[in-house]
Amino acid sequence: MSVTMDKVQQKEKMTDLMSKFISLVSYKLPDDVENKLRELSEEEDNRLAKIIYKTMFENQKLASELKRPSCQDTGVLQFFVKCGENFPLIGQLDSILKNSVYKSTQETPLRHNSVETFDEYNTGKNVGDGSPSIFWEIEENSDKVEIYTYMAGGGCTLPGVATVLMPGEGYEGVVKFVLDRMTSYGINACPPLLVGVGVGTSVETAAMNSKKALMRSVGSRNENENAATMERLLEDGINAIGLGPQGLKGSKSVMGVNVVNTARHPSTIGVAVNTGCWSHRRGKITFDSNLNYEINTHEGVTL
Amino acid sequence: MSKKVLTTPIKDEDLKDIQIGDIIYLTGTLVTCRDVAHRRLIEEKMPLPVDLKGNAIFHAGPIVRDLGNEEYEIVSIGPTTSMRMEKFEKEFIEETGVKLIVGKGGMGKNTEEGCKTHKALHLVFPAGNAVYAATSVKQIKEVHWKDLGMPESLWVCEVNEFGPLIVSIDTEGNNIFEENKIEFNKKKEEQYELISQQVRFIK
Ligand code: SF4
């Protein structure tokens, strides 16, 4: 068998696996999210909130039994890729991911969420120019690839916000920016939310950090002590507002607050907020160079 | 407490005693109708191809399986943010005579007025529960405006005890989200005062 043949087959195999993985993410929430939702529902004593949680669990059960997308908004697929420099399909990965979204859209099925801008037509394929979104990181001395797969919904985590504060506003300004978002946009973004806060030097670095924050698991903590303190303070503070599921009041508001930070210019504090909804459909899969895979977010699942 | 089920066509009297925070279920006709459909009727003055009088609309974009021969099956269906339709909804209620507007999150002053004047309700279906919702859709009776693509087409559904639907605006124009917001904002200010003292990392 020729080497090129090999590559074609490998490409096919990976496309097939990724397509199945996307499908899995659409109907089954990751373990950390499921556990947190359980915990929140057990602590809840508001009448409406309890009924909503009950509906949520029944829905998730049905979705995984029937293998149907648990929420109709299967979002825009966003991939956060950390690719080893020696991963054999490094050059093919972009097209593999795009094709796998198309395939999964046919097979699951997923909703057609790709509208070409200015020409304003839905491609009907759920892929388009620059869609899915693929964000790259290259890792030295590795032949593996780690892929976070995220279904980013139009009413939660696609409309994030970012701004650049003046240092004089301090981290107090960051807190205000986050809290204001919770009582305006957050109410309609399907709480209990996973709140991703990005701190950096500009709008785009802060925005990227806030998205990466949503890839971190619920209950994890930032390694920086001050940042971890802010995560805890924000989490308790937003919970005290009592948005409840669907913003209809309840004893809590969020599954958690994750902060991801990078350095800043002395004159700026970039800050961004991304609100992940309760149906936080993210999954992490790692492939080795022979395309053996491991699913890190959904225990005991095979494709 | 017994389940409160409304059946289309719905009359003004049916909604009289229903208040914000109540939970109801719907049996009958429910038509998906969202951004562009609202825009077409109100701004483009295109007549709606379905009669909504006494019926219900759903701010929703479903996932539908095409079975061929103009037959379809709902795979997942759930609400989208209602607030996006706020700027059209009062006139929409006026023009169509629709009685129930089902969606996600709250709506504003315009819709409050529409609901009060024309005796209609805005209701929330807990979003993200699209398979649960799909199981109470008995069949898709018709589809219109397919040129808008799967999420935006008007899918005319026959539903059975569709819910839980939480009343967010009632026929008096009371608005549960607006009431909650006052409380949320007050608590937010308190929390800001508390937290901002503890994050003075720039010294
Ligand atoms: S916010 Fe999330 S759960 Fe709610 S409708 Fe959007 S994708 Fe679904």
Side-chain angles (χ1 to χ4, degrees):
Chain A
M1 198 189 298
S2 73
V3 178
T4 45
M5 243 332 256
D6 251 334
K7 201 140 239 179
V8 171
Q9 284 176 337
Q10 282 179 336
K11 216 178 138 171
E12 233 169 68
K13 180 172 175 194
M14 190 169 174
T15 307
D16 191 49
L17 287 169
M18 276 311 295
S19 157
K20 291 201 175 104
F21 185 60
I22 293 165
S23 185
L24 167 74
V25 170
S26 82
Y27 62 74
K28 185 141 181 35
L29 292 174
D31 302 338
D32 60 326
V33 172
E34 255 183 15
N35 293 339
K36 188 67 192 186
L37 289 172
R38 262 300 144 218
E39 189 189 310
L40 289 172
S41 76
E42 280 159 14
E43 289 166 11
E44 191 55 75
D45 47 25
N46 178 295
R47 176 185 64 100
L48 285 180
K50 281 177 117 140
I51 293 173
I52 296 170
Y53 275 119
K54 193 168 154 252
T55 310
M56 281 155 61
F57 294 127
E58 280 176 33
N59 182 66
Q60 293 314 117
K61 190 166 162 273
L62 278 171
S64 63
E65 278 168 15
L66 300 170
K67 298 198 165 129
R68 288 187 187 186
S70 58
C71 177
Q72 79 293 336
D73 186 0
T74 47
V76 168
L77 266 299
Q78 299 195 317
F79 297 103
F80 297 81
V81 173
K82 196 199 263 178
C83 190
E85 58 174 335
N86 300 319
F87 179 68
L89 297 175
I90 186 167
Q92 287 71 38
L93 198 50
D94 269 341
S95 64
I96 289 172
L97 292 176
K98 194 164 188 169
N99 292 339
S100 65
V101 172
Y102 177 69
K103 191 165 153 62
S104 192
T105 302
Q106 307 301 309
E107 289 171 3
T108 311
L110 306 177
R111 205 171 72 180
H112 303 160
N113 276 347
S114 190
V115 177
E116 291 295 358
T117 44
F118 289 103
D119 294 334
E120 287 305 309
Y121 69 94
N122 191 320
T123 64
K125 296 184 172 127
N126 203 27
V127 294
D129 192 11
S131 180
S133 322
I134 306 172
F135 305 102
W136 277 82
E137 262 177 65
I138 307 279
E139 197 173 30
E140 213 179 326
N141 286 330
S142 154
D143 61 0
K144 294 194 169 107
V145 64
E146 265 177 41
I147 305 170
Y148 276 103
T149 298
Y150 183 41
M151 290 194 167
C156 45
T157 179
L158 289 174
V161 274
T163 190
V164 176
L165 304 172
M166 289 177 283
E169 295 171 87
Y171 288 84
E172 303 89 299
V174 172
V175 169
K176 183 165 174 14
F177 190 72
V178 177
L179 291 181
D180 283 346
R181 187 68 173 167
M182 294 302 113
T183 52
S184 51
Y185 184 75
I187 300 172
N188 288 340
C190 284
L193 307 168
L194 181 61
V195 183
V197 178
V199 175
T201 193
S202 58
V203 274
E204 62 282 358
T205 54
M208 193 61 196
N209 286 345
S210 72
K211 249 309 148 45
K212 283 187 181 161
L214 293 183
M215 297 304 108
R216 257 180 45 201
S217 62
V218 175
S220 62
R221 280 283 172 246
N222 191 303
E223 283 170 16
N224 179 289
E225 210 179 303
N226 286 342
T229 301
M230 196 162 94
E231 288 179 337
R232 210 170 13 81
L233 289 169
L234 282 172
E235 183 173 328
D236 293 346
I238 302 167
N239 275 335
I241 298 172
L243 298 180
Q246 295 294 308
L248 283 161
K249 278 212 241 181
S251 44
K252 296 266 169 81
S253 316
V254 294
M255 296 192 278
V257 177
N258 291 350
V259 175
V260 168
N261 58 299
T262 46
R264 64 179 185 84
H265 184 283
S267 332
T268 62
I269 307 177
V271 53
V273 186
N274 239 301
T275 41
C277 62
W278 74 265
S279 188
H280 191 57
R281 288 151 297 166
R282 90 152 120 51
K284 184 185 176 195
I285 187 166
T286 308
F287 290 90
D288 68 15
S289 56
N290 296 317
L291 298 184
N292 298 311
Y293 67 87
E294 192 189 338
I295 297 171
N296 315 79
T297 41
H298 299 67
E299 209 192 301
V301 176
T302 45
L303 298 177
Chain B
M1 219 171 72
S2 69
K3 218 174 182 180
K4 168 108 184 136
V5 182
L6 288 174
T7 307
T8 61
I10 296 164
K11 294 178 286 311
D12 289 1
E13 308 84 272
D14 300 340
L15 306 180
K16 199 168 78 241
D17 299 321
I18 298 175
Q19 288 167 351
I20 50 172
D22 287 356
I23 292 181
I24 62 155
Y25 293 81
L26 170 70
T27 293
T29 306
L30 177 69
V31 184
T32 67
C33 188
R34 49 183 287 171
D35 307 67
V36 186
H38 278 74
R39 198 180 154 99
R40 280 192 174 174
L41 177 72
I42 306 303
E43 285 181 351
E44 305 290 319
K45 308 284 175 216
M46 283 169 74
L48 268 191
V50 216
D51 185 11
L52 293 178
K53 198 167 178 347
N55 285 333
I57 59 164
F58 196 10
H59 295 151
I63 302 174
V64 178
R65 200 185 311 245
D66 189 342
L67 304 173
N69 289 328
E70 294 292 302
E71 287 203 31
Y72 301 92
E73 180 201 8
I74 293 269
V75 175
S76 284
I77 185 167
T80 189
T81 308
S82 289
M83 200 48 110
R84 289 201 313 272
M85 273 52 81
E86 169 68 12
K87 84 183 240 223
F88 307 114
E89 213 65 278
K90 187 178 147 202
E91 286 171 68
F92 190 94
I93 299 171
E94 204 170 287
E95 291 219 4
T96 59
V98 70
K99 283 289 161 203
L100 305 185
I101 298 150
V102 183
K104 148 181 162 181
M107 295 192 76
K109 282 265 166 295
N110 230 338
T111 310
E112 284 170 24
E113 254 180 68
C115 285
K116 193 170 172 179
T117 317
H118 303 285
K119 302 298 159 211
L121 302 176
H122 177 257
L123 309 129
V124 169
F125 179 85
N129 297 298
V131 185
Y132 188 77
T135 54
S136 44
V137 177
K138 285 205 298 200
Q139 59 156 327
I140 296 180
K141 290 196 290 194
E142 299 158 32
V143 52
H144 301 277
W145 285 353
K146 269 174 28 188
D147 59 305
L148 297 178
M150 189 200 283
E152 295 263 2
S153 301
L154 301 171
W155 300 96
V156 183
C157 305
E158 193 185 322
V159 298
N160 186 32
E161 299 201 356
F162 180 80
L165 304 172
I166 300 151
V167 180
S168 104
I169 299 177
D170 61 24
T171 53
E172 296 296 314
N174 298 309
N175 186 332
I176 198 170
F177 281 93
E178 289 306 312
E179 289 181 9
N180 287 351
K181 249 187 207 164
I182 298 170
E183 192 182 322
F184 293 154
N185 279 318
K186 195 171 143 268
K187 288 187 177 159
K188 176 187 72 179
E189 295 307 328
E190 292 166 12
Q191 289 303 317
Y192 173 71
E193 293 308 322
L194 254 160
I195 301 172
S196 56
Q197 305 301 322
Q198 300 171 69
V199 294
R200 299 185 64 82
F201 305 130
I202 301 179
K203 293 199 176 100

